[in-house]
Amino acid sequence: MPDNLKTGVKKPCYYEPEIHPTYLDMATHYGTVIIPARVRKPKDKPLAENGVLIVERWIMAKLRNQTFFCLYDLNKAIRKELEVINNKPFEKMEGSRRSLYETLEKPALKPLPLQPYEYAVWKYARVNIDYHIEVDGNYYSVPYQLVRQQVDVRITAKTVEIFYKNKRVATHIRQFGKKHAYTTLQEHMPPSHQKVWEWTPARIINWSKAVGKNTALLVEALMERKEHPEQAYRACMGIIRLSEKYTKESVEKAASRALSCGAISYRSILSILEKGLDQLPLETESSPPPMVHDNIRGIEYYSKGVN
């Protein structure tokens, strides 16, 4: 029964407070129930408040003038004073805190889980039309039927788990290092990659033709570079939508420049447009002049024939 601390209670409510997902995940792992006290109602948890007062008076006050040079020595001193408090007899009732623990609390305790708790961060995500979600710059697949749906994502140091309506629908090994990497499971893909909610490579290419020929070539090249064309849908749509912020002519020139230098990506097009490079003429490579040397006979020699 904690206070309504912001790191523990996401939304305070008199009747139904919303617990922070990470805090609730830990409590669920250990089979513990979290019931926050009402706001500004310290009597909802008098035992905790009284325990803080006792520690301040009998431990902190006693050790306040001592100097410790490491955490181990400090914990050792606290543990010693804590044993004194727990074994001290009550003034108005029989027994001590230690005896109450042994007779009442200890028999009610549950065994610890076989696996230790693994810290996890929770977040919301919207499934894109390429049936992937974004986590820290990388993309993870979910069943394609969940396109455009909101899902819950549980992120640990090693895994990414995806839940839809409290049911786990996907689990992936978390990717580090390389950004914009795709992790795709075969069973999450639509049949034969032919249709993802009416989005196909051909439709995206035809859409890009409305911007221009070079844009269509760039979009096609971008999808060819991916193992699965669906992995490029997001970037292709981004390139097409640049024509809403910039003119179609500018996007076309930027696509032409990107194709000429092999910069096949959304970020490259965006950088060209932001820096105004689309307005500069493309540099054409001129053929080098013929080499002049006494040992090189040239075209005139061969045009006369050999006697």
Side-chain angles (χ1 to χ4, degrees):
M1 186 172 286
D3 287 320
N4 284 268
L5 65 166
K6 290 184 178 180
T7 54
V9 180
K10 191 173 182 181
K11 283 187 179 181
C13 177
Y14 186 88
Y15 299 102
E16 194 176 30
E18 182 179 347
I19 310 300
H20 191 283
T22 300
Y23 189 23
L24 182 60
D25 188 37
M26 183 198 70
T28 303
H29 178 81
Y30 288 111
T32 303
V33 177
I34 305 299
I35 307 177
R38 294 172 296 174
V39 177
R40 297 178 182 176
K41 297 290 184 180
K43 291 185 178 180
D44 282 1
K45 48 184 185 62
L47 293 179
E49 297 291 346
N50 189 48
V52 172
L53 180 62
I54 292 174
V55 169
E56 288 180 345
R57 289 177 177 177
W58 292 88
I59 296 181
M60 295 177 63
K62 192 172 183 178
L63 301 178
R64 68 184 185 278
N65 294 324
Q66 297 187 37
T67 302
F68 299 92
F69 296 96
C70 67
L71 185 61
Y72 174 80
D73 291 339
L74 175 59
N75 285 333
K76 186 177 180 181
I78 292 175
R79 190 178 298 110
K80 180 180 177 181
E81 299 302 327
L82 187 61
E83 287 295 324
V84 174
I85 295 175
N86 287 334
N87 294 319
K88 184 179 180 181
F90 291 123
E91 294 182 357
K92 298 182 180 181
M93 58 184 294
E94 295 183 358
S96 64
R97 291 179 176 80
R98 170 67 67 182
S99 63
L100 284 182
Y101 167 75
E102 295 289 346
T103 57
L104 295 179
E105 295 183 359
K106 188 175 180 179
L109 294 177
K110 296 180 180 180
L112 290 174
L114 297 178
Q115 299 295 331
Y117 171 71
E118 185 176 13
Y119 177 77
V121 174
W122 288 79
K123 63 175 289 188
Y124 298 112
R126 180 77 61 178
V127 182
N128 200 268
I129 63 168
D130 60 0
Y131 57 87
H132 285 73
I133 63 167
E134 185 270 333
V135 175
D136 293 337
N138 292 319
Y139 304 100
Y140 302 87
S141 67
V142 301
Y144 73 96
Q145 295 89 344
L146 298 180
V147 166
R148 298 190 179 93
Q149 299 298 322
Q150 181 174 286
V151 294
D152 298 312
V153 187
R154 183 176 183 267
I155 308 167
T156 69
K158 298 180 181 179
T159 62
V160 174
E161 297 177 274
I162 305 165
F163 296 81
Y164 178 67
K165 294 184 178 180
N166 297 323
K167 181 180 178 181
R168 183 166 56 190
V169 295
T171 302
H172 298 278
I173 297 176
R174 189 175 177 185
Q175 299 293 331
F176 291 96
K178 183 180 178 181
K179 290 295 184 181
H180 309 293
Y182 278 80
T183 302
T184 308
L185 298 183
Q186 188 73 26
E187 58 267 26
H188 292 164
M189 300 176 182
S192 304
H193 294 266
Q194 294 302 310
K195 190 173 184 180
V196 182
W197 288 69
E198 300 182 356
W199 290 89
T200 63
R203 181 179 180 183
I204 293 180
I205 293 174
N206 287 332
W207 190 10
S208 64
K209 288 180 180 178
V211 180
K213 179 181 178 181
N214 291 322
T215 305
L217 292 174
L218 181 69
V219 165
E220 186 175 2
L222 185 58
M223 286 191 282
E224 289 178 352
R225 288 194 170 195
K226 299 293 183 180
E227 182 179 357
H228 306 291
E230 290 82 358
Q231 295 176 345
Y233 282 3
R234 192 191 304 260
C236 292
M237 289 184 62
I239 293 173
I240 295 170
R241 287 174 178 169
L242 286 174
S243 62
E244 299 174 3
K245 181 178 180 180
Y246 302 91
T247 64
K248 293 183 179 180
E249 291 75 13
S250 296
V251 176
E252 264 291 274
K253 292 179 180 179
S256 176
R257 178 175 291 274
L259 288 169
S260 66
C261 60
I264 313 298
S265 69
Y266 165 79
R267 290 180 177 273
S268 298
I269 297 294
L270 180 62
S271 177
I272 292 172
L273 291 170
E274 288 178 341
K275 296 178 180 179
L277 299 179
D278 56 292
Q279 303 300 323
L280 301 179
L282 287 174
E283 296 180 1
T284 57
E285 295 184 0
S286 57
S287 56
M291 182 180 294
V292 179
H293 193 275
D294 294 339
N295 293 334
I296 299 178
R297 287 168 285 187
I299 188 173
E300 293 81 5
Y301 175 84
Y302 292 101
S303 62
K304 296 178 181 178
V306 181
N307 297 329

